[in-house]
Amino acid sequence: MTDWSAMISYAAVAAIALFALGLVLTPGPNMIYLVSRSVTQGRRAGLISLGGVAAGFLVYVAAATAGLTTVFALVPPLYAAIKIGGACYLLWLAWQALRPGGTTAFAPADLPADPPRRLFAMGLVTNLLNPKIAVLYVSLLPQFADPARGNVAAQILLLGAVQVTIAVTVNALIVLCAGSIAAFLARRPGWRRAQRYVMGSVLAGLAVHIGLRPAAA
């Protein structure tokens, strides 16, 4: 029987858990889509969309476990394209929040009601194109795999499972509470403006961080 505790250190698990928590609480494409869908079409639609987001996480875990993400680290132009494209997208989201009359994740525009299959597919695509998640799996997660502890692929699989568990749990809570938070902010314009400025500032900061992050070793 495999001793998982010997394969990955508690320090690595704690680091990935903290990073995953900070990542999922930072406004980004996943949060914006899930909140928008939950507010406009209800919790059930939000949870179906979350199923697609979760599937996207599993795709990244499978790719990282198979070593496919190392291709991006070994081919600098591909990694640079991910960084630049992702940073530009996050800057655009930041501008949408900070510009005069800008929007907030918890005051989204109405979306057309979509069937479950499309909800799932949109959640999947949104996550696969999420620059925050791409950077996590391309440059961060492999750094916590220690060859001295055994099978590197198994270590990445376990660390990825930690990230997925935290991300899906927190996103589910966001989906379930999105309507209440939106209603709270709608009654308090000052809070809504503050949330919008905080979200825009965080997105801009994250874009700069991703853009300046060096390629993985």
Side-chain angles (χ1 to χ4, degrees):
M1 185 174 180
T2 303
D3 185 359
W4 300 116
S5 62
M7 184 169 291
I8 53 176
S9 68
Y10 291 111
V13 171
I16 290 297
L18 288 174
F19 191 87
L21 182 60
L23 203 66
V24 73
L25 292 176
T26 302
N30 286 348
M31 180 186 289
I32 291 172
Y33 176 70
L34 291 174
V35 169
S36 298
R37 187 55 66 185
S38 301
V39 171
T40 59
Q41 200 173 339
R43 291 175 176 173
R44 180 176 178 272
L47 291 174
I48 294 173
S49 300
L50 177 58
V53 170
F57 284 129
L58 295 179
V59 171
Y60 271 114
V61 170
T65 302
L68 297 180
T69 56
T70 58
V71 173
F72 293 98
L74 295 174
V75 183
L78 290 178
Y79 186 75
I82 289 178
K83 289 201 305 175
I84 294 172
C88 290
Y89 181 51
L90 290 176
L91 284 174
W92 180 81
L93 291 176
W95 168 245
Q96 293 302 305
L98 294 173
R99 66 182 174 83
T103 59
T104 169
F106 290 96
D110 288 338
L111 296 176
D114 286 329
R117 181 179 298 180
R118 180 171 174 78
L119 292 173
F120 184 91
M122 287 300 297
L124 172 62
V125 171
T126 298
N127 198 21
L128 291 179
L129 298 180
N130 187 343
K132 295 195 301 179
I133 307 304
V135 169
L136 168 67
Y137 279 94
V138 169
S139 63
L140 183 67
L141 203 65
Q143 296 180 24
F144 289 93
D146 183 0
R149 287 180 172 269
N151 192 312
V152 171
Q155 292 181 55
I156 292 177
L157 177 63
L158 291 172
L159 293 172
V162 172
Q163 184 270 328
V164 172
T165 299
I166 292 173
V168 171
T169 300
V170 175
N171 275 318
L173 293 175
I174 291 173
V175 166
L176 295 175
C177 298
S180 299
I181 296 174
F184 173 85
L185 293 175
R187 296 191 300 268
R188 295 167 176 82
W191 282 79
R192 186 169 65 247
R193 284 193 298 273
Q195 191 271 339
R196 182 161 56 88
Y197 293 143
V198 169
M199 183 181 76
S201 299
V202 169
L203 286 170
L206 184 62
V208 172
H209 175 74
I210 289 176
L212 296 179
R213 185 180 181 87

